[in-house]
Each structure stands twice: as C-alpha cells, then as structure tokens.
Amino acid sequence: MRLAPPVPILDVIRCYASSCSYIPELAVIAPQQFGIAISLPDGGTVTAGDAAKPLSIQSISKVFSLACVLGRIGDQIWTRVGREPSGSRFDSIQLLEIEHGRPRNPFINAGAIVVTDELLAGRAPREALAEILGLVRTLAEDDDIHISESVAQSETMTGHRNRALAHYLKSYNNLLNNPEHVLGTYFHQCAIEMSCIQLAKAGRAIAGLPDASAIISLPKARRLNALMMLCGQYDGSGEFAFRVGLPAKSGVGGGLLVIVPGRASIGIWSPGLNVFGNSHMGTHAAERLAHAMNWAVFG
Ligand code: DON
C-alpha cells in the first residue's frame, strides 16, 4: 500500500473551506485569505496577513447590537430572548416553534432579529442603525467604519430564512415593528465592514483592557463574554470552547472576534467556512494562538 505524501498542515486546513454561499456578494470572496490582529493591554497591536483589509462583520454585529440594547433597557431584553446555547444552526427555525417564539439566545438569527427589533422601538430604522454603527466607531476609535450597501442589498435579495424567522416571531407577538423594517436594519448592521485591526480595537472594552472605552461597563462585558463562550459559534460552540477555550463571536464573512479577558482582544479573518458557518482557518488560528500563549480561560 502506498501512503500519500505528507501534506503541510496549512494546506490541509485550507482545502476544506469555501466562502459563505447564500449571500452572493460574499460568495465571490477568495476563501483562503487570512489576517489577524491582536490588541494588547499596553495599547499595542500585533498584526499578520490581511489585518488591514475590510471584512463583512455579519453576525459579529450581534455582539454590538446586544450591547446597545443592554445599555438601553438592561435585563428587560431577557423577557423576549433566552440566554441558553441552541445546539442548532444559526438560521434554524425549529426551536422557535417548540419554544413559542422566544429565541434561545441573542446570537442565533432569530434572537438577533428580536434584539434589533427592540433597538427600533419608537424610532426610524436609520436611527437604530446609527446607534450600532456609532458604538462600533467609538469602540474602535475610527469614524471611517462604514456599511457596505452592496452586501446589505445582496442579503436583502436572498435572506429568505431571516424573512421566515421575522414573520414567525411576529406571529408570536415577539416582533413589535414591521418585519421589513427590522430586517432592513438587521441586514445593514450585518453589512458593517471592519478590518481585523478595527475589530481587535473594538473588542478591548469587552476584554476589559486598560483605557478601553467605558461605554461597555465591566458587568455588561462579563455577560457578553458568557454569551460569546456559550453561544458565539452556534452549534459549534461546544467544539470551539473545547479546542480554543475563549469567548468569541463568528460571522459568515469569515470574521472572528476572540476575547482573552484582561489580556487581549483578537480580530481574525479568513472567509472559508467550516460546517457550522464559522471561519475554518480562523478557528484553527485561535486554537493555536490560545495554546501557544496559554490564554484559554480554563488554564
Ligand atoms: O443573517 C444572516 O444569515 C447573516 N447576515 C449573518 C449570519 C452569520 O454571520 C452567522 N455566523 N456565522
């Protein structure tokens, strides 16, 4: 029997992944690109690869919209959405029927749509969106961060599952606003573009690093970290906690915001996705970095 020649580890990691398939603007992005930025307590940033290239943050925006809502109404949001892992895909509708329209957590799509609906209460979609974008710009200290209209339009054309989720929530009276207004806001928040460097900077407040913006208080950051650890990678959250041991939030644009409480905030980007819809190489990179630095919260 002939054995296959040894394959370098990076080639093995690279060959499994393809970019997000259901948002046409993201589907054409080359999956093997890679960038990383690590923001450290002293304010310094270590970067490698395409760390300055803008990526579509997609579901990473759910951390920021939740931070806005927690600032606005605090614990009241938990009457509308749970905080338990779902164990199912990010766009699944299954549990919503079983649990009578109350999404399991704010990071699956159904939960994030409820959070965005709450942000819309009593005001125009433009204003809610400005609040999320404003928070991200303040945290990253960069007013150049913007929304890609073409990515937002692309998802508007193909976001049938989110449309189903929004109407399903409405049928259970867990959506207060017009579903199209909520979805328009949600698709636009997902289409925010940031580089790994900007993401790492924005995560400093969640990591509780010195001199980070005080907009996200430490008790709020503690809760965001708990949710990121348990629900940040959807049905891949257990595997991620097992391998990496750090709170993190993924997006189908291939971005990953990884928090090392008190020590670092990390932005990673590689558009090729694993079976859970999370960055394939990004997860490998987070795992190797956490081990090399002894950063896993479980020691
Ligand atoms: O709602 C969606 O399907 C996308 N805008 C975001 C999903 C996402 O990023 C899932 N994360 N891995």
Side-chain angles (χ1 to χ4, degrees), residues 196-221:
C196 292
I197 296 169
Q198 290 165 331
L199 262 183
K201 188 95 188 274
R204 288 180 66 86
I206 305 172
L209 297 186
D211 304 323
S213 163
I215 296 182
I216 298 181
S217 64
L218 282 180
K220 229 181 282 164

Side-chain angles (χ1 to χ4, degrees), residues 22-23 58-59 90 109 155 162 186 190 234 250-252 277-278:
Y22 68 95
I23 302 175
Q58 293 296 318
S59 283
F90 60 86
N109 287 7
E155 192 172 7
N162 284 326
Y186 172 75
C190 287
Y234 316 104
S250 60
V252 285
N278 305 321

Side-chain angles (χ1 to χ4, degrees), residues 8 39 55 59 85 91 113 168 181 217 219 223 247 250 269 276 283 286:
S39 185
L55 62 113
S59 283
D91 54 5
I113 289 169
Y168 210 71
H181 290 176
S217 64
R223 284 161 162 199
S250 60
W269 175 60
F276 306 114
T283 303

Side-chain angles (χ1 to χ4, degrees), residues 59 62 88 90 107-108 231-237 249-250 278:
S59 283
K62 296 168 181 173
S88 50
F90 60 86
F107 293 156
I108 51 171
C231 321
Q233 318 289 308
Y234 316 104
D235 44 342
S237 297
K249 184 73 210 80
S250 60
N278 305 321

Side-chain angles (χ1 to χ4, degrees), residues 67-81:
C68 290
V69 159
L70 287 175
R72 221 160 234 281
I73 61 163
D75 285 343
Q76 277 179 52
I77 188 65
W78 307 121
T79 60
R80 300 185 60 191
V81 60

